[in-house]
Structures are given as C-alpha cells and as structure tokens.
C-alpha cells in the first residue's frame, strides 16, 4: 500500500512537469541578450565608452575583456594621440586615445571566426549548396558609436567563388 501511494505520487509529479508548453521561435531567430555599453574610465569631463560585440567566438570575447581591463595609466602622457594594439592569432584590436586618455576610436579586425547563427542561416538560405570558405569580421567604433560591424565572407560552389558582406543580423548587404 505504501509503495503504491509513493508510485502514484511520483507519477503525478512527473506528468505535471511535462505539461508546460514551451513558446515556439520563428525559424532562424535566436534570442539575443543585449549587453550595455561599458564606460572604461572617466577622462576629465568626458567618458571613454566601449561597446563590446556579442560575437560567439570566445577568442574575440577574451581580447575584448583584456581591452576593457587594460589600464592606460601614464603611458599616454606627452602624446597627442596614443595607439594601443592587442593581437591574437585570429586578428587585432587597435584603440586610439587622445592626450587626456579618452578613448576616441576602436578598430577590430578578425579572420576565420565563429560566425553568428543568423549569418550562417541567411547565407545558406540565399545560397543553397554553397560553402563558406573564408570570413573576416570588421568592427569599428568612434566615441561610443558603432560605425561598422560586418562580416566579409567568401563562399564557393564548385569553381564559382563569390564575396559577400553580411551584417550580424543576417542581412546580406553586398554580393547578391
């Protein structure tokens, strides 16, 4: 009797846990968590603002974290502009500071990175049977404003080769 009550109780809890309905996503859409911009430091009355990218490649995230943690200190004293360059195997991050230590510009250039699923989905949807053989990611900011954020892709099918420019949301800008 005791074991049958435990069995019914267990079975009742098990079936109620599967009764919850999960919301359906649109095809090709992925939930993206928006990250806030980061104020690196205050330079006088101005703020140095850097907006990290939401790229899925861990190498890019790692170099951006190192850049955010970098302390300019007194390295820029005596210069009108100060250039900081950080390199990894896949690319570079170059930042320009003014004489007060305010971040003016950041240019990131990477190759052969892990592409966002929206980019992959849109390319393979528009070009079925083609393969992505080469990619570059360009990300440019000036004083906290994103100027350029795009993927330059090289796709191939048999002996045909095309070059595409794709935005991170999957919109193909050039190469159709």
């Amino acid at each position: 009797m005791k074991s049958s009550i435990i069995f019914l109780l267990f079975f009742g809890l098990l079936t109620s846990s599967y009764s919850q309905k999960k919301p359906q996503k649109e095809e090709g859409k992925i939930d993206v968590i928006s990250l806030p911009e980061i104020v690196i430091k205050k330079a006088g009355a101005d703020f140095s603002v850097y907006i990290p990218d939401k790229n899925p490649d861990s190498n890019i995230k790692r170099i951006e974290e190192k850049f955010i943690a970098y302390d300019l200190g007194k390295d820029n004293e005596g210069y009108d502009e100060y250039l900081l360059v950080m390199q990894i195997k896949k690319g570079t991050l170059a930042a320009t500071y003014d004489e007060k230590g305010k971040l003016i510009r950041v240019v990131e250039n990477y190759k052969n990175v892990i592409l966002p699923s929206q980019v992959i989905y849109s390319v393979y949807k528009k070009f079925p049977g083609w393969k992505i053989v080469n990619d570059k990611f360009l990300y440019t900011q000036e004083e906290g404003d994103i100027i350029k954020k795009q993927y330059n892709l090289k796709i191939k099918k048999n002996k045909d080769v095309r070059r595409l420019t794709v935005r991170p949301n999957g919109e193909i800008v050039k190469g159709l």
Side-chain angles (χ1 to χ4, degrees), residues 3 22 39 48 81 83 125 127 135 137 140 148 170-171:
S3 62
K22 293 182 181 179
V39 175
S48 293
E81 286 190 347
L83 179 65
K125 188 175 180 182
F127 299 96
D135 63 81
F137 176 57
T140 306
K148 185 183 280 188
E171 178 187 351

Side-chain angles (χ1 to χ4, degrees), residues 13-171:
L13 290 173
L14 183 67
T15 57
S16 66
S17 67
Y18 283 107
S19 65
Q20 296 178 4
K21 190 175 185 179
K22 293 182 181 179
Q24 297 292 325
K25 293 182 185 177
E26 291 181 39
E27 185 178 329
K29 296 287 182 178
I30 296 175
D31 292 337
V32 176
I33 298 171
S34 183
L35 296 176
E37 55 192 33
I38 295 172
V39 175
I40 296 177
K41 71 175 199 151
K42 184 177 179 186
D46 297 325
F47 289 91
S48 293
V49 178
Y50 173 69
I51 304 168
D53 182 51
K54 299 171 221 141
N55 194 293
D57 196 318
S58 62
N59 291 321
I60 293 176
K61 287 180 184 179
R62 210 172 303 124
I63 195 169
E64 287 176 343
E65 288 171 1
K66 285 183 181 179
F67 171 66
I68 291 167
Y70 182 79
D71 183 20
L72 191 59
K74 298 185 184 237
D75 291 343
N76 67 325
E77 288 183 2
Y79 298 102
D80 290 339
E81 286 190 347
Y82 182 78
L83 179 65
L84 169 69
V85 179
M86 295 183 161
Q87 292 184 324
I88 57 173
K89 282 185 179 182
K90 290 186 174 188
T92 60
L93 182 149
T96 307
Y97 294 88
D98 68 5
E99 69 276 354
K100 295 178 185 175
K102 180 184 176 196
L103 181 64
I104 300 172
R105 186 178 317 110
V106 179
V107 177
E108 298 179 54
N109 189 0
Y110 307 102
K111 55 185 172 182
N112 299 324
V113 298
I114 297 172
L115 299 172
S117 56
Q118 293 168 325
V119 170
I120 295 169
Y121 178 78
S122 68
V123 169
Y124 286 140
K125 188 175 180 182
K126 294 267 187 198
F127 299 96
W130 290 71
K131 291 183 181 180
I132 299 172
V133 293
N134 197 356
D135 63 81
K136 290 183 182 176
F137 176 57
L138 302 172
Y139 186 51
T140 306
Q141 295 180 44
E142 275 191 35
E143 297 185 8
D145 295 326
I146 299 172
I147 306 298
K148 185 183 280 188
K149 187 175 180 180
Q150 68 187 30
Y151 292 89
N152 295 330
L153 307 176
K154 184 176 174 183
I155 60 173
K156 189 174 183 179
K157 183 177 183 181
N158 301 327
K159 292 187 179 186
D160 295 331
V161 175
R162 279 192 168 177
R163 297 188 186 280
L164 305 176
T165 301
V166 184
R167 292 200 175 117
N169 64 359
E171 178 187 351

